[in-house]
Amino acid sequence: KGYETDAEVKKIESTKETFLSYPTVAKFRESDKDVFAFWTEVARGKKIAATLDYRTYLPAAPYEGMNYELIIETQAGLKNPYAVTIHAPLGFAWEENGLPIYEWKSDDAPGTTKIQLTLKKI
């Protein structure tokens, strides 16, 4: 029909991973980031909540002063309520709050939110 495949979209789609236990969730790599995608159906006037339990492993043993960054990017123009809980590795806390658990909540998160944390030994 004369349509062309966008090279960047094709590159991203080639990294698609699916999960046997969650067949409606897909993971992609884009700009050195893990991107999770899924569709939901919501009846007009109704609301739903989606929970994503994401665990990542450090490429090396944790150490005092190690930085961690979580970037949340959402669809523009929508009200984006979020609640995020980040657990520090055993024996560490987050410098920003002095606790091994960091919580961040927003009733209307902006399109891009960066949470930057630093480990400290406890």
Side-chain angles (χ1 to χ4, degrees):
K1 295 183 177 183
Y3 296 109
E4 292 183 26
T5 302
D6 181 88
E8 187 64 26
V9 172
K10 186 176 182 178
K11 179 180 172 185
I12 293 166
E13 288 179 341
S14 74
T15 67
K16 182 179 180 180
E17 291 180 47
T18 55
F19 306 95
L20 185 60
S21 54
Y22 300 99
T24 60
V25 176
K27 177 182 166 185
F28 301 88
R29 289 293 294 171
E30 179 182 356
S31 303
D32 293 324
K33 299 175 191 173
D34 287 332
V35 177
F36 294 89
F38 55 92
W39 286 95
T40 58
E41 290 186 32
V42 183
R44 187 178 327 161
K46 300 292 182 184
K47 295 181 181 183
I48 65 161
T51 300
L52 181 65
D53 185 3
Y54 175 65
R55 297 169 193 252
T56 186
Y57 298 95
L58 299 172
Y63 57 87
E64 179 92 21
M66 183 179 219
N67 295 316
Y68 178 82
E69 181 178 67
L70 175 67
I71 300 171
I72 302 168
E73 295 178 320
T74 62
Q75 184 173 342
L78 297 178
K79 186 170 182 169
N80 301 303
Y82 276 89
V84 175
T85 303
I86 304 171
H87 296 261
L90 192 61
F92 289 86
W94 299 113
E95 189 174 286
E96 290 70 16
N97 66 359
L99 300 171
I101 296 175
Y102 184 87
E103 295 180 317
W104 175 85
K105 293 181 182 181
S106 174
D107 288 332
D108 190 12
T112 300
T113 299
K114 288 185 182 183
I115 300 172
Q116 297 175 310
L117 302 171
T118 305
L119 287 175
K120 71 174 188 174
K121 273 201 164 288
I122 52 174

